[in-house]
Amino acid sequence: MEQTPARLTAKPSWLLTQLAVHAHRLASDSFGEVGARGYHYRILAALDEFGIASQAELGRRCSMDRSDVVAAINELSEQGFVERTPDPDDRRRNIVTLTKAGDRQLRRMDRALDKVQDDLLGPLPAEDRKNLTRLLTRLLTHHQRG
């Protein structure tokens, strides 16, 4: 940051943006090592935590565009990580279920993402990591409401 103007490096918004770019690169590279993408993680995590869901529900829960949800589910289905079946109550809708293979893939992705957190937050002790997460959560919650 030696060559970066001080008026930028003093702004949390600039620092967050720079760190977000770095974090995204680390996560993408790490997911790539296990044959996955960030969208896959979002969907598998939502299915694991909340259970069977429609594609529309997954899009809302994962903050994903409808076309991205469809593309990611297609990829996950081809790999046997999810099953997509017509909703018996509404044939226009698809229901997505996590498979055992999908659960194993999610665990691989969890381990990969845990390593990313350690790389990203390496200079911070555990208490600072908790505080940073708490503060970022507070900010995100505030801005998601408004």
Side-chain angles (χ1 to χ4, degrees), residues 30-67:
S30 186
F31 285 152
E33 291 173 10
V34 294
R37 298 185 309 119
Y39 282 161
H40 297 166
Y41 186 76
R42 290 184 195 188
I43 290 171
L44 294 176
L47 290 171
D48 181 60
E49 187 167 337
F50 301 111
I52 296 169
S54 70
Q55 292 179 177
E57 288 171 320
L58 288 169
R60 286 189 296 277
R61 286 183 178 147
C62 299
S63 299
M64 291 172 61
D65 182 78
R66 181 180 173 161
S67 62

Side-chain angles (χ1 to χ4, degrees), residues 3-145:
Q3 300 299 315
T4 305
R7 65 174 15 118
L8 290 177
T9 61
K11 304 291 186 213
S13 58
W14 186 85
L15 293 167
L16 285 168
T17 300
Q18 299 307 303
L19 196 55
V21 168
H22 183 66
H24 185 267
R25 186 174 35 253
L26 288 173
S28 292
D29 291 349
S30 186
F31 285 152
E33 291 173 10
V34 294
R37 298 185 309 119
Y39 282 161
H40 297 166
Y41 186 76
R42 290 184 195 188
I43 290 171
L44 294 176
L47 290 171
D48 181 60
E49 187 167 337
F50 301 111
I52 296 169
S54 70
Q55 292 179 177
E57 288 171 320
L58 288 169
R60 286 189 296 277
R61 286 183 178 147
C62 299
S63 299
M64 291 172 61
D65 182 78
R66 181 180 173 161
S67 62
D68 292 329
V69 172
V70 171
I73 289 173
N74 286 343
E75 293 166 358
L76 291 167
S77 180
E78 287 170 9
Q79 296 171 313
F81 297 147
V82 300
E83 289 180 354
R84 179 175 38 200
T85 56
D87 183 338
D89 297 327
D90 184 351
R91 292 282 184 195
R92 297 168 295 172
R93 211 166 62 150
N94 285 316
I95 297 297
V96 183
T97 307
L98 181 67
T99 65
K100 289 183 188 217
D103 184 64
R104 287 190 299 274
Q105 176 69 343
L106 178 58
R107 303 298 160 228
R108 282 189 290 274
M109 294 178 80
D110 279 334
R111 288 189 296 275
L113 198 53
D114 287 345
K115 289 179 186 173
V116 167
Q117 306 314 298
D118 286 340
D119 289 346
L120 183 67
L121 303 175
L124 301 178
E127 189 62 30
D128 286 351
R129 291 178 185 203
K130 288 179 189 174
N131 286 333
L132 177 63
T133 301
R134 181 181 51 78
L135 291 169
L136 291 171
T137 300
R138 185 189 306 171
L139 287 169
L140 183 59
T141 300
H142 169 80
H143 290 290
Q144 284 178 331
R145 285 188 215 148

